[in-house]
Amino acid sequence: MHLKLIMALLCFGYCSPAMAREAKEYDKDVQYDESRLPAYDLPPLLVTSSGHPVRTPEDWMRVRRPEILSLFANLIYGKVPEPATPIKVSYELAQEDRGFMGGKATRKDIKIHLENAKGRLSMHFLVFVPNEAQKPVPAFFKHSFNNTQSNDFDASTSRPGFLKNGWPLGQLLDRGYGFCAVYQQDLVGHNEVEFQNSIHKLFYPEGQSFPKAHEWGVLSACAWGASRAMDYLETDSDIDHTRIAIMGHSKMGKATLWTAAQDERFALAISAQSGCAGAALWRRKSGETLKKMVTRFPYWLCRNAWKFVEQEDDLPIDQHMLLACIAPRPVYVHSATEDTWADGRGEYLSAYHASEVYRLLGKKGLTSMELPEVGEPIIESQVGYHIREGGHSIEPWDWNRFIDFADFHLQAK
Ligand code: GCU
């Protein structure tokens, strides 16, 4: 069976013994041994590319942050070009259920239509609002693997308070939050390689039919879509769009960080096991590496990123700088002991190094290079973190910590 297909199936939880053997093969030269990782120097956060020290919050916000965002856009995730012709956006309330979950919530199914002379695409955006709470409510916003049109979103009868797909909607509603979700594949395929029917087609000028080397890959397209959903939220008076916690798991954690780094309207970001191209540092080369990623998912990033395969030290950026672009807004990073593919230690170190910028902006960050104890979350710092026992998933315990973090930083606002 083709390796890419196997890995895609594994990603979605399907695994036969033969596939597991082949996946192990793929995993063969992955380094997990801390003592064998390469030594590295991270590019400095607080020195501009022309060599000037960044001394003030203004230097950071006006000079260094835009410089870093431009490097991430051009070298890692890909830049969104100007559309071929202006895109007309319209919102349709396709369905509204005021009695969702036994009357606890209102569910709105919103269609965000995007259209220009080159074509038309629609995103299906789910919004749940607690009926009892005073409006507008703060909300969690999920970059989701689940198709937002499926009936996975029905309330589960076997686990009260949960949706069939495991989202703890009841708990979020009880704690005063709304919940929204965008589906990763509405605008671009999971492992898109053609870019003919994706959102990209609305952006190609005459004669172009594939993204250029510095133009947007899959993760950038997901991030762009989340910003269009935020445009909608700005028009919805049930939701307080100034208190949105964006979050996502794994690939969607990567998309979350890139979305929040660029779009300052998101008030808080949660990276759940985002790993390689998410929170983890490139230069550690532990668990999934750039080479592994672009082999299996060639266009999650832009093509320019390929040039740094096994040349990570030449990158003028590393992932701590992405987290720093979210500052001063709170960011939370979640890892798990057995999720070594995502390099929990690399995720923590990224958050630790990004903290330098949080401190420059007058906020609290992480102060130790040592990971906290397993199961002991850091909540009362603008840079939060936890690592728990177990593998690659979001467990109810993780959700509780995310809500604690949002309570601490958003409810008090
Ligand atoms: C694969 C991929 C990871 C990604 C994960 C996921 O394992 O290599 O980078 O985070 O899928 O999205 O679940």
Side-chain angles (χ1 to χ4, degrees):
M1 200 184 292
H2 194 278
L3 193 56
K4 271 187 199 152
L5 175 64
I6 294 168
M7 298 314 292
L9 289 169
L10 280 174
C11 284
F12 289 107
Y14 177 76
C15 179
S16 74
M19 283 164 58
R21 269 194 307 280
E22 285 192 59
K24 238 192 181 139
E25 190 62 16
Y26 177 80
D27 214 14
K28 179 165 92 207
D29 55 343
V30 179
Q31 189 55 263
Y32 294 118
D33 180 350
E34 202 58 39
S35 67
R36 301 179 72 173
L37 297 182
Y40 59 87
D41 288 319
L42 291 178
L45 266 167
L46 298 182
V47 180
T48 67
S49 45
S50 48
H52 294 106
V54 174
R55 293 208 174 88
T56 64
E58 292 68 38
D59 291 345
W60 170 261
M61 290 310 259
R62 292 224 198 100
V63 184
R64 186 60 173 148
R65 179 174 177 272
E67 209 172 76
I68 292 173
L69 283 174
S70 161
L71 290 167
F72 274 107
N74 283 291
L75 300 181
I76 302 286
Y77 301 105
K79 212 175 145 97
V80 181
E82 284 299 313
T85 58
I87 296 179
K88 195 177 138 245
V89 184
S90 59
Y91 307 128
E92 179 194 337
L93 177 59
Q95 210 174 299
E96 186 173 31
D97 176 1
R98 290 172 180 274
F100 193 75
M101 220 176 221
K104 262 173 116 68
T106 295
R107 167 184 168 161
K108 302 188 214 185
D109 288 62
I110 314 290
K111 287 207 167 134
I112 302 177
H113 301 295
L114 305 158
E115 184 171 12
N116 71 5
K118 296 274 183 155
R120 181 178 210 252
L121 265 88
S122 295
M123 296 172 62
H124 192 99
F125 186 39
L126 269 183
V127 179
F128 298 95
V129 185
N131 284 339
E132 293 303 317
Q134 220 188 333
K135 313 289 182 317
V137 289
F140 275 65
F141 177 119
K142 197 165 194 296
H143 257 300
S144 175
F145 281 109
N146 299 82
N147 186 334
T148 46
Q149 300 199 60
S150 86
N151 58 9
D152 264 5
F153 299 95
D154 292 348
S156 159
T157 43
S158 55
R159 279 175 94 195
F162 285 82
L163 298 189
K164 276 189 194 156
N165 70 348
W167 290 346
L169 185 64
Q171 191 177 355
L172 287 161
L173 298 168
D174 288 344
R175 289 178 70 167
Y177 292 92
F179 184 77
C180 329
V182 283
Y183 175 46
Q184 61 141 348
Q185 295 202 68
D186 278 347
L187 300 185
V188 66
H190 170 63
N191 198 4
E192 181 72 58
V193 292
E194 293 182 340
F195 297 97
Q196 295 309 302
N197 294 311
S198 61
I199 186 67
H200 298 73
K201 72 179 177 193
L202 274 59
F203 287 71
Y204 295 137
E206 210 44 49
Q208 189 182 349
S209 57
F210 199 77
K212 294 182 184 159
H214 71 286
E215 286 181 351
W216 49 341
V218 172
L219 293 173
S220 252
C222 292
W224 185 86
S227 290
R228 301 296 68 77
M230 176 54 110
D231 297 342
Y232 161 79
L233 287 178
E234 289 186 327
T235 71
D236 188 326
S237 56
D238 287 338
I239 303 280
D240 180 354
H241 64 266
T242 69
R243 289 189 296 159
I244 302 289
I246 185 166
M247 52 105 41
H249 181 237
S250 207
K251 176 190 179 191
M252 296 294 96
K254 310 176 205 300
T256 292
L257 291 173
W258 181 225
T259 308
Q262 299 176 90
D263 192 334
E264 293 179 71
R265 294 174 298 173
F266 290 96
L268 181 152
I270 299 165
S271 143
Q273 306 177 317
S274 59
C276 182
L281 294 172
W282 292 116
R283 282 168 172 75
R284 278 172 51 85
K285 298 177 202 154
S286 177
E288 186 175 20
T289 57
L290 179 56
K291 184 176 179 186
K292 295 281 176 196
M293 169 163 286
V294 304
T295 308
R296 277 168 61 193
F297 306 111
Y299 303 110
W300 279 10
L301 308 176
C302 70
R303 280 186 288 134
N304 268 347
W306 300 358
K307 299 173 185 160
F308 296 93
V309 166
E310 294 182 338
Q311 310 291 331
E312 287 89 339
D313 289 312
D314 289 346
L315 272 169
I317 43 184
D318 211 315
Q319 294 304 101
H320 65 307
M321 297 165 105
L322 183 69
L323 268 60
C325 288
I326 300 171
R329 294 164 291 146
V331 64
Y332 193 82
V333 174
H334 145 51
S335 316
T337 51
E338 286 162 32
D339 188 21
T340 47
W341 184 244
D343 185 21
R345 184 162 173 78
E347 294 181 311
Y348 177 80
L349 287 175
S350 223
Y352 165 77
H353 289 295
S355 297
E356 194 181 0
V357 170
Y358 280 81
R359 281 189 286 275
L360 176 76
L361 303 185
K363 303 293 181 189
K364 274 199 211 160
L366 301 176
T367 49
S368 167
M369 277 183 86
E370 289 312 312
L371 267 79
E373 293 299 315
V374 174
E376 291 202 358
I378 298 174
I379 302 286
E380 296 181 15
S381 149
Q382 231 78 11
V383 185
Y385 181 83
H386 80 242
I387 180 162
R388 62 148 168 79
E389 294 287 359
H392 195 62
S393 58
I394 305 184
E395 298 300 323
W397 189 85
D398 300 317
W399 275 110
N400 275 312
R401 304 297 75 77
F402 301 161
I403 303 173
D404 291 346
F405 188 71
D407 278 356
F408 189 84
H409 295 280
L410 288 185
Q411 298 285 17
K413 237 181 95 176

